[in-house]
Amino acid sequence: MSSSTPTDQEIAKKARKAGIASFIGTTIEWYDFYIYGTAAALVFGQIFFSDELSSGVATLLAFVTLWAGFLARPLGGVIFGHLGDRIGRKNTLVITLVMMGIATVGIGLLPTYAQIGMWAPVLLVFLRIVQGVAVGGEWGGAVLIASENAPKGKGILYSAFAQQGSPAGNLLSTMAFFFLAALPTPQFMMWGWRIPFLLSGALVAVGLIIRLKLEESDAMKAVLARKKTVKLPIKEVLRKHWVLVLLGAGALPLAQVTYFKNTFALSWATSELGYERGTFLAIIAIALVVQFIVQPFGAVLVSKIDMRKAMLLMIVPELFLMPAMFFAIRTETFAIAAIGMCLATIPHSMFYGAIAGILARAFPANIRYSGLSLAYQLCSLIVGGGTPVLAQYLLNSSGDVTGVAIAAACYAAVSLVCTLALLKRTGYDPKAPSVAEKSDADELALEQSEAAAERDRRTPGTEDTPRSDDTPRDRVHA
């Protein structure tokens, strides 16, 4: 083995480093993104909108501002997908982290409606859009840094590092508000809610130090070295791979049900049921701990068996468990509500742990960032930010949570159908290269073969030098 060829130990060390860096960075980004949802459920309707509005309408408007971030996420996916496929994954991840930190701290410093009137919700929406652009570019790059640096055949497992940032960031944001919920309501509404947003500045500084030390993924290095970058990756994605984008987006609604639990249910339970803020935040925190523990097992399961069977095992239970969660919460009993939320969390968190690696396998390396980001953020645009808005609208319209429960089951059904259709196009065997990965490998092998033939052609005397076994005969005839 040549000294330039990395050993298995070196590959494993680099993969772990990339995975851990991906996890820490996404934890910080998702912390920033999730504290907005918690604050929207508890605070924003009351302080950033006129007090002449009813509580339900003000909460609905706060959830609309939450949706603004999701509306901006596809834009972030396009912008940073383009940069990530053109100049590399690492640089884009540094930019997204800085953007997210500036926007989050800015929200923590915003004046209220009572202080500056309509400018308050306008500035809130603007900063939420910046958050959305940042996280829209973050997710795809973090997944690829982890999965593309993984040892051969372990891309799905290592992509789970990036996915762990979501429950970790969500848990951090929930715990921050849990401790602040002990404040008297006037103090909490005046300044207490701002603390989690301002803490983001310190977290981003830590994440930035880690990201600046991160290496570019090997797959992207190969694309750059071979000068195989695409001038307009998004155009290539939409021209050749639009079906994969749509199926990927359709597979992801189940990943968005967290907004039924952590945003809508929080508002519903604390404003219309008999839960205290701290009590229901504790229920959410327990469910997030369960999510953090069980989520990686989704990637393990998908990596071990036929991926169709794995997806059926993860998605079908959610058709029943997520609707049941709302009725468990409605009992207003802490233990029943916590058990219901934890049971509903297990299937969709395992699905979330696996789906990133499955989507990453769907696209060729030179447009993978753009394709992956566009699929994820398209679903976020249509489903993610609209989930609490839809749930609150259904509740306001009927006065009952049954419609919300049915909507949650529909999310799981759509994900099941589209995930199976996606796997049909990309491959079912987790240990074998996907269709896109095989195409990349075949193209590289062809280029190497052509390059070797060209070197032989240009080497003087290569074709004319007589073979050693022919030399005696040639000399005799001479």
Side-chain angles (χ1 to χ4, degrees), residues 26-39:
T26 53
T27 296
I28 295 167
E29 291 260 7
W30 284 118
Y31 166 83
D32 287 358
F33 204 72
Y34 281 129
I35 55 175
Y36 191 101
T38 305

Side-chain angles (χ1 to χ4, degrees), residues 394-406:
L394 292 172
L395 182 67
N396 289 353
S397 300
S398 65
D400 186 74
V401 79
T402 302
V404 182
I406 293 172

Side-chain angles (χ1 to χ4, degrees), residues 68-139:
F70 290 88
L71 294 173
R73 280 169 68 167
L75 178 61
V78 170
I79 293 172
F80 291 106
H82 176 85
L83 293 175
D85 284 330
R86 291 282 295 168
I87 64 174
R89 313 335 189 179
K90 173 186 172 179
N91 293 329
T92 59
L93 291 176
V94 170
I95 297 170
T96 59
L97 187 62
V98 172
M99 283 181 61
M100 179 63 86
I102 292 173
T104 304
V105 172
I107 292 171
L109 298 173
L110 271 184
T112 65
Y113 187 92
Q115 294 171 309
I116 60 173
M118 281 300 298
W119 279 108
V122 169
L123 291 173
L124 180 67
V125 169
F126 170 75
L127 291 173
R128 179 59 177 173
I129 288 172
V130 175
Q131 277 193 326
V133 171
V135 83
E138 160 74 18
W139 182 81

Side-chain angles (χ1 to χ4, degrees), residues 399-457:
D400 186 74
V401 79
T402 302
V404 182
I406 293 172
C410 290
Y411 278 32
V414 172
S415 286
L416 179 60
V417 172
C418 291
T419 301
L420 294 178
L422 178 67
L423 289 173
K424 186 176 181 180
R425 286 178 170 267
T426 60
Y428 304 125
D429 185 355
K431 294 181 173 60
S434 68
V435 172
E437 289 170 336
K438 188 174 185 304
S439 177
D440 282 344
D442 290 345
E443 183 180 348
L444 177 59
L446 179 61
E447 289 178 7
Q448 290 174 336
S449 175
E450 291 175 346
E454 180 68 14
R455 285 195 302 271
D456 290 344
R457 187 182 68 80

Side-chain angles (χ1 to χ4, degrees), residues 9-29:
Q9 185 177 5
E10 289 171 336
I11 292 172
K13 181 179 179 181
K14 182 180 178 182
R16 285 195 301 271
K17 182 179 178 182
I20 292 169
S22 177
F23 164 67
I24 292 173
T26 53
T27 296
I28 295 167
E29 291 260 7

